Amino acid sequence: MEKAQYAVGQSRGRCHSQPDSDDRSPWQRDRDRVVHCSAFRKLQYKTQVFVTREGDFYRTRLTHSLEVAQIARALARALRLDEDLTECLALAHDLGHPPFGHAGETGLDEALKDFGGFDHNDQSFRVVTQLEQRYAAFDGLNLSWEALEGLAKHNGPLKRPPPTIAAYDAQIPLGLDSQTSGEAQVAAFADDIAYNTHDLDDGLRAGLFTFADLAPLPVIGDLAAAAQALTTAENRIRHELSRAVINTLVHDALTESRRRIAALSPQSVDDIRHAASPVIGFSEEMRTANIKLKQFLFTRMYRHWRVNRQSHKAQHVTRTLASLLLHHPELLPDDWRDRAGKQGDTAQAAAVVRDYVAGMTDRYALDEFSRLTDPAVPA
């Protein structure tokens, strides 16, 4: 299918010059670089909501990213946007997440509050521009300008960009105060759809709430009732509901996004970037239903006592690790210790500790916590 005139066209290039590929577009190469990087593989062992050891069926950061990519490609194809750039952004958006999901992020942020705290979007940008070391000539993945723009503005225009993004923008402007491309907007929107849908499924599977609890929710309650009318097997009802929710949200987003695009009548991707508001979104009815679903998940799942207990432990682990290593960088492994310097409680040490802890998987963080705090465990 031919791309729309408002899709990304010619790339603005890369920070480090590399020959073009005869076989792949710049964004196909970007996607492949993300898939092959070490930070992407680590997502397999990083928490979404439930810690990975709680069960093999719950989502991890990796399966979440794959679900986002699947939804994003479907939206991009229907809107005639560049599917490869959209998929790249969907797969890369969580590369900077620390262990234990948002709970781990909270603990890391608290430990480093005197040195700027922690922001996983900034860390994702740091991963692809600095931390991955796969090329002899430069650090990072050397992604295209369009991919970096989309990652930087994953949550929309940035009036106060975090440190890594701000420093890069000072050298190579990313237009942080404007909207991003349609492809990047689709990737961010698919993140929201996937997040709510699979958390609904995982919450039901974990027994944190029931189908009956969903009845008062607009749109979702009707979809749950329709799924229950098809079968009495709870696992099948869950799958029917998940499909119905994704299908309903995606179709509404396509209808509304097409309406917005038609009203704007963009002749290029820059018309989308300079629009007053995003071109990708829900109708007002679905936006309200989505907010209600988020509120439900917040109270019934993210603040459920079982999740609270696990979150408390996760925050304790990342907060303790970061605080201990910040004060005592001599406890870091040799290669990290050399970069942190000999003095604790410095900006240099904080930057190294931030990268070290954020790059851990759940399992490695628990092992390192034991090695640093339990005298019975070998160092």
Side-chain angles (χ1 to χ4, degrees), residues 4 62 89 98 117 140 143 165 169 188 212 248 277 283-284 288 315 321 356:
L62 178 61
L89 293 169
L143 300 182
I165 295 174
D169 180 68
T248 300
S277 58
S283 66
E284 186 58 31
T288 300
Q315 290 174 29
L321 282 173
Y356 182 59

Side-chain angles (χ1 to χ4, degrees), residues 218-219 248-249 252-253 282-291:
V219 179
T248 300
L249 295 180
D252 182 88
F282 285 134
S283 66
E284 186 58 31
E285 177 188 8
M286 196 60 67
R287 188 185 75 85
T288 300
N290 196 50
I291 290 173

Side-chain angles (χ1 to χ4, degrees), residues 229-279:
L230 299 174
T231 178
T232 58
E234 289 200 1
N235 65 317
R236 295 180 186 270
I237 297 173
R238 275 202 338 273
H239 296 315
E240 291 288 347
L241 177 59
S242 293
R243 281 194 295 272
V245 171
I246 292 175
N247 188 62
T248 300
L249 295 180
V250 166
H251 278 286
D252 182 88
L254 285 175
T255 300
E256 175 62 16
S257 299
R258 285 171 175 145
R259 185 193 68 78
R260 295 184 188 184
I261 290 171
L264 181 64
S265 189
Q267 301 304 300
S268 70
V269 63
D270 283 336
D271 287 342
I272 289 180
R273 289 191 177 108
H274 296 136
S277 58
V279 295

Side-chain angles (χ1 to χ4, degrees), residues 46-83:
K46 292 194 177 189
T47 291
Q48 181 65 25
V49 174
F50 296 99
V51 175
T52 52
R53 65 183 177 82
E54 289 192 49
D56 293 337
F57 290 101
Y58 297 120
R59 269 73 171 188
T60 65
R61 283 286 158 191
L62 178 61
T63 57
H64 163 68
S65 297
L66 294 174
E67 291 183 29
V68 174
Q70 178 263 330
I71 294 170
R73 283 200 73 116
L75 286 165
R77 181 174 301 177
L79 295 172
R80 296 194 295 132
L81 295 166
D82 190 282
E83 293 181 44

Side-chain angles (χ1 to χ4, degrees), residues 14 41 53 95 98 117 152 349 351:
R14 303 177 188 276
R41 293 194 298 275
R53 65 183 177 82
L95 289 179

Side-chain angles (χ1 to χ4, degrees), residues 301-313:
M301 184 173 183
Y302 310 140
R303 292 297 179 266
H304 190 282
W305 66 268
R306 285 167 51 194
V307 176
N308 282 344
R309 287 184 176 187
Q310 196 62 50
S311 295
H312 174 76
K313 290 185 284 186

Side-chain angles (χ1 to χ4, degrees), residues 183-244:
E183 286 82 358
Q185 291 183 38
V186 162
F189 207 73
D191 182 24
D192 197 48
I193 292 175
Y195 208 106
N196 285 343
T197 304
H198 62 50
D199 284 359
L200 185 65
D201 182 59
D202 280 349
L204 287 165
R205 179 190 291 274
L208 303 185
F209 46 83
T210 67
F211 294 112
D213 294 326
L214 304 179
L217 293 176
V219 179
I220 304 301
D222 290 339
L223 295 176
Q228 288 177 285
L230 299 174
T231 178
T232 58
E234 289 200 1
N235 65 317
R236 295 180 186 270
I237 297 173
R238 275 202 338 273
H239 296 315
E240 291 288 347
L241 177 59
S242 293
R243 281 194 295 272

